[in-house]
Amino acid sequence: MLRPKISFFNKCGGSYFCPFSSVFKPRKNGRYILGIESSFDESSAALVHIPDGKLIGQETLSQWKDHQAFGGIVPKLASESHDRNLPIVVEDVLKQSQVSLEDISFIALTVGPGLVLSLNSGIKFATQFGQENNIPIMPINHIEAHCLSPRFEIEEDQSPNPSYPYLDFPYLTFLVTGAHTELIKCTGLGKYEVLGFTMDDSIGEAFDKVARDLELNYLATGQIQVDNPSLAQEILGRKHGGAQVEICARYGDPEKFPLPIPMINHQGCDFSFSGIKSAVKRYLSLGHKELKFLPVRKEPTIQERCDLSASFQLSCTAHLKHRLRKVLRYYKKNGEEINGVAIVGGVASNQYIKQELRKIAEMYDTRTFSPPSSLCVDNAAMIAWTGLEYFNAKKKIEYSQFPVAAERKLPLGDYTDIMF
């Protein structure tokens, strides 16, 4: 059971410019919110207009190339890159938007969850920046920002959504990222119920690991020649494993290598992706009657890599669809209103997954919502927007624990005891 929620601004002590200030006082004449995001490997800054939520500008620097040789994110290296990049992105977004420091009402800052060293870089920079320029700081939960992002900008017309005409509470959020896989019921601002979460790997992590096992990066960098011109053109230069799997899956047969659908008889709505990932690895290490190559002695063909990618994506998507179907059926049976399904996070850029989840939602007369691809990945715009939501609602942010520093884990809400 999670600890009782504590009012963040009531319980936090410290100086006025501490990121966890006991009294939050936005500047009265400020017209913009400066969002700062550094939870993982993206250094991002954005400006959002008060009160209509128009995105004035955003600058983001990715560290992907710095970590690519290590096969994953190196926390110390990520923190050092944030220390260099955050001053640059903040300066650039202010300069390009032609916004002065006097026009900033407050800083909306990611404080968790995420990599502690990366978060601390953001907190350190924002604290110093706030002190030097007399700008207060509002702490933001990164997961909550993802959940609220479809209310900011929706995919249909890419326009700001300040009056919430498209997605209002209550709604479901499917959070699918490299670090999280969660199904959350959003009943109001600051009111969330976690319906299910991953018991092991997140879906994004599983996609990245399968891409490494299939050595798809060699296809993306041209180190392995691809005979299919269309596939070669699509995958060349694609740096993220998830995108590489999605592209290869389009050229593969998803029925070629049957993979399990996890936890099919599990009563709850939790997730598990390690078994699907391991099944792909077993095909590669032990061989299979359908594979043309012999384990260890030869490599899989390009077509076999595409077939395995398609089978893996199909199984992961079936797992997500099964969970969404259970939840929507439960709420419809009990007459509970659900205004939509928000699909958010980096994996929400996967068009196949998004289309398949949309089909399930439509079966229950429910629409799906996603931010544009630029707002699916970690970004400062959604952080600034979350700050604006609380600012407009004149509501205090609540956390389940007192974050005296960056929080690697920062629960968004209580876990449900409903058996779907």
XYZ file of all heavy atoms in Angstrom, residues 7 23 27 40 143 291 312 366 369 385 397:
102
model
N 0.462 17.034 1.008
C 0.404 18.273 0.248
C 1.809 18.826 0.082
O 2.488 19.124 1.049
C -0.474 19.306 0.957
O -0.455 20.511 0.233
N 6.051 27.976 -0.017
C 5.020 28.882 -0.523
C 5.313 29.157 -1.998
O 6.356 29.694 -2.334
C 4.993 30.208 0.255
C 3.913 31.108 -0.312
C 4.771 29.968 1.733
N 5.097 34.960 -10.357
C 5.206 36.404 -10.566
C 3.931 36.928 -11.204
O 3.440 36.388 -12.198
C 6.401 36.706 -11.461
C 7.734 36.310 -10.822
C 8.773 36.104 -11.890
N 9.777 37.138 -11.893
C 10.699 37.252 -12.847
N 10.717 36.425 -13.867
N 11.587 38.218 -12.787
N 15.730 11.987 -18.281
C 16.422 10.839 -18.867
C 17.587 11.318 -19.727
O 18.584 11.780 -19.211
C 15.416 9.997 -19.664
C 15.852 8.581 -19.896
C 16.321 7.788 -18.858
C 15.774 8.011 -21.156
C 16.723 6.473 -19.068
C 16.166 6.697 -21.384
C 16.634 5.932 -20.343
N 5.349 11.652 -15.064
C 4.282 10.768 -15.543
C 2.974 11.542 -15.692
O 2.233 11.366 -16.661
C 4.098 9.566 -14.597
C 5.353 8.685 -14.623
C 2.872 8.745 -14.981
C 5.284 7.486 -13.707
N 13.605 -21.392 -39.285
C 14.748 -20.515 -39.551
C 15.703 -21.188 -40.523
O 15.996 -22.381 -40.403
C 15.484 -20.183 -38.249
C 14.764 -19.220 -37.303
C 15.498 -19.150 -35.970
C 14.691 -17.839 -37.904
N 7.072 -10.214 -32.890
C 7.261 -9.585 -31.580
C 6.290 -8.420 -31.394
O 5.622 -8.303 -30.367
C 8.703 -9.092 -31.453
C 8.950 -8.214 -30.256
C 9.038 -8.751 -28.986
C 9.074 -6.838 -30.404
C 9.250 -7.936 -27.871
C 9.283 -6.019 -29.313
C 9.369 -6.576 -28.040
N -15.512 4.598 -27.907
C -14.572 5.497 -27.230
C -13.499 5.944 -28.210
O -13.006 5.139 -29.013
C -13.908 4.784 -26.029
O -14.918 4.290 -25.156
C -13.007 5.735 -25.263
N -6.767 9.385 -28.167
C -6.095 10.681 -28.300
C -4.597 10.488 -28.098
O -4.183 9.749 -27.208
C -6.612 11.673 -27.253
C -8.083 11.944 -27.335
C -8.996 11.064 -26.780
C -8.558 13.085 -27.966
C -10.358 11.307 -26.852
C -9.914 13.332 -28.047
C -10.817 12.446 -27.489
N 3.003 22.711 -19.729
C 1.546 22.621 -19.792
C 0.972 22.136 -18.464
O -0.045 22.646 -17.992
C 1.118 21.688 -20.916
C -0.345 21.376 -20.874
C -0.936 20.253 -20.377
C -1.411 22.230 -21.305
N -2.294 20.331 -20.475
C -2.620 21.538 -21.046
C -1.464 23.497 -21.894
C -3.861 22.082 -21.355
C -2.703 24.034 -22.199
C -3.881 23.337 -21.920
N -0.115 21.001 -5.966
C 0.326 19.695 -6.431
C 0.533 18.794 -5.219
O 1.100 19.206 -4.208
C 1.646 19.806 -7.224
C 1.402 20.601 -8.506
C 2.210 18.442 -7.545
C 2.621 20.759 -9.364
